[in-house]
Amino acid sequence: MVSDELGQPFDPFAAEQKKEEEEARQKAEKAEKKAAEAKFSPEEREAAEKKMADTETARLADIESQMIPAFDLEKIDLKSTDTSGSKSVGKEEELSLELEGGAKLNKVLIGLGWDAPETTGEGDEFDLDASVFLLTPDGKVSDDTDFVFYNNLAAAGGAVRHHGDCKTGRDDDGDDEIITCLLDQIPFRSDRVVIVITIHEAYERLQHFGLVENAYVRLVDLDSNKELVRYNLTENADKKDAIIIGELTRSTTAWVFRPRGETFEGGLYQVARSFGVYVAPT
């Protein structure tokens, strides 16, 4: 079974044309570079390569300097979050996230939790992964980097950040995986933040969400450390290995949380492809 870079089963025909185009482009670039190098002496080529390296270093440093710093979550006691005003919503419901006094929510934590069963085979983990997709009004990412997961921990200049992969799902006192968002800093080309949970290598390990209990997503206002909403997954998800939990949608007055609870087969690869992300095989 061929797998993609997400560790999911891969259909080799789906990306064959794009792969061929990429190989042709790389071949043309190599030929152009070789022809250009032939015109210069070794010393001139060395000087040009150094200049290119210095330029790239400066470019990366400039990008890093403009990145929004990550939240220091150690300064917030998330296990004592005020849940007294939290609203529980079910599928097909929605909730405006306008705060008291008409204030708009900005610093939000997306906390995901689940209870994983014991391992299903010798040496197997039961590894659930949280991901988000920043989507445009047409339901697609504007760029592959708008897909935040364990191999791409930040998007939108750091406005959306994944705070680390959990491979066990056994933090009984808190969230297993956390994603934070600065909603005001998300570019207007993206009007939705879609929240997804998938099972890593579910096909190979014969795992599915029917084995998982107590899966939920909660939204916390980081400025006040108050839980705003909690959505508990209650659908029968036997034989499914991907769930779109819900989405944060930009409206004219405030962000709105819309639970979806949609289950799929095909893992993170299938969800990513449906949102327009190109995933290459490995």
Side-chain angles (χ1 to χ4, degrees):
M1 174 62 65
V2 179
S3 298
D4 60 32
E5 62 187 18
L6 304 178
Q8 305 294 334
F10 175 75
D11 177 3
F13 298 102
E16 187 64 29
Q17 182 177 357
K18 189 164 185 177
K19 179 182 177 182
E20 290 176 356
E21 292 174 354
E22 178 65 15
E23 288 176 347
R25 184 188 66 78
Q26 292 179 0
K27 185 176 180 180
E29 287 182 352
K30 289 181 180 179
E32 183 179 349
K33 181 179 179 182
K34 186 175 181 179
E37 288 177 347
K39 300 177 182 179
F40 300 99
S41 67
E43 291 78 12
E44 290 173 324
R45 288 200 300 272
E46 183 179 353
E49 290 172 357
K50 184 178 185 304
K51 184 177 180 179
M52 290 176 61
D54 291 344
T55 300
E56 179 65 8
T57 298
R59 185 185 72 83
L60 294 175
D62 183 58
I63 292 175
E64 182 66 25
S65 68
Q66 297 180 45
M67 286 284 285
I68 299 169
F71 290 108
D72 186 357
L73 294 178
E74 292 185 358
K75 294 182 179 180
I76 304 173
D77 185 5
L78 293 173
K79 293 184 179 181
S80 63
T81 298
D82 181 1
T83 61
S84 60
S86 180
K87 297 182 179 179
S88 179
V89 295
K91 192 175 180 180
E92 305 302 332
E93 295 182 67
E94 64 178 53
L95 179 69
S96 173
L97 298 178
E98 188 173 52
L99 304 177
E100 294 181 5
K104 292 184 178 180
L105 178 67
N106 178 28
K107 299 178 182 178
V108 62
L109 174 144
I110 302 170
L112 298 112
W114 60 86
D115 291 335
E118 297 298 329
T119 55
T120 57
E122 186 176 354
D124 278 355
E125 296 174 330
F126 202 103
D127 179 11
L128 271 63
D129 295 312
S131 309
V132 299
F133 296 81
L134 305 182
L135 303 186
T136 60
D138 67 357
K140 305 292 184 181
V141 295
S142 61
D143 185 88
D144 287 350
T145 58
D146 285 343
F147 166 30
V148 178
F149 70 119
Y150 53 81
N151 274 342
N152 180 45
L153 297 179
V160 180
R161 287 184 182 271
H162 193 302
H163 289 259
D165 189 18
C166 171
K167 297 180 182 295
T168 61
R170 297 189 180 280
D171 187 347
D172 296 330
D173 298 323
D175 306 311
D176 295 308
E177 293 197 6
I178 289 173
I179 295 171
T180 54
C181 301
L182 275 174
L183 298 177
D184 286 352
Q185 301 297 322
I186 294 176
F188 276 94
R189 68 174 184 268
S190 302
D191 69 346
R192 276 179 284 169
V193 180
V194 178
I195 306 163
V196 176
I197 303 178
T198 53
I199 303 175
H200 187 63
E201 295 184 349
Y203 181 87
E204 292 85 349
R205 299 173 180 174
L206 302 178
Q207 297 173 347
H208 55 82
F209 272 106
L211 303 173
V212 181
E213 298 180 349
N214 304 321
Y216 72 87
V217 60
R218 68 175 188 145
L219 304 181
V220 176
D221 174 15
L222 284 174
D223 282 325
S224 63
N225 196 19
K226 291 182 178 180
E227 182 176 296
L228 304 176
V229 60
R230 177 178 291 254
Y231 173 60
N232 295 307
L233 183 73
T234 58
E235 286 80 2
N236 183 354
D238 285 352
K239 299 183 180 180
K240 307 296 184 179
D241 55 16
I243 302 176
I244 299 179
I245 290 286
E247 60 185 43
L248 288 165
T249 304
R250 194 196 306 265
S251 72
T252 55
T253 57
W255 286 79
V256 174
F257 176 65
R258 292 189 172 93
R260 291 176 57 172
E262 300 173 23
T263 59
F264 298 86
E265 292 182 59
L268 192 52
Y269 165 75
Q270 190 64 38
V271 178
R273 191 169 69 168
S274 72
F275 290 143
V277 178
Y278 171 69
V279 183
T282 54

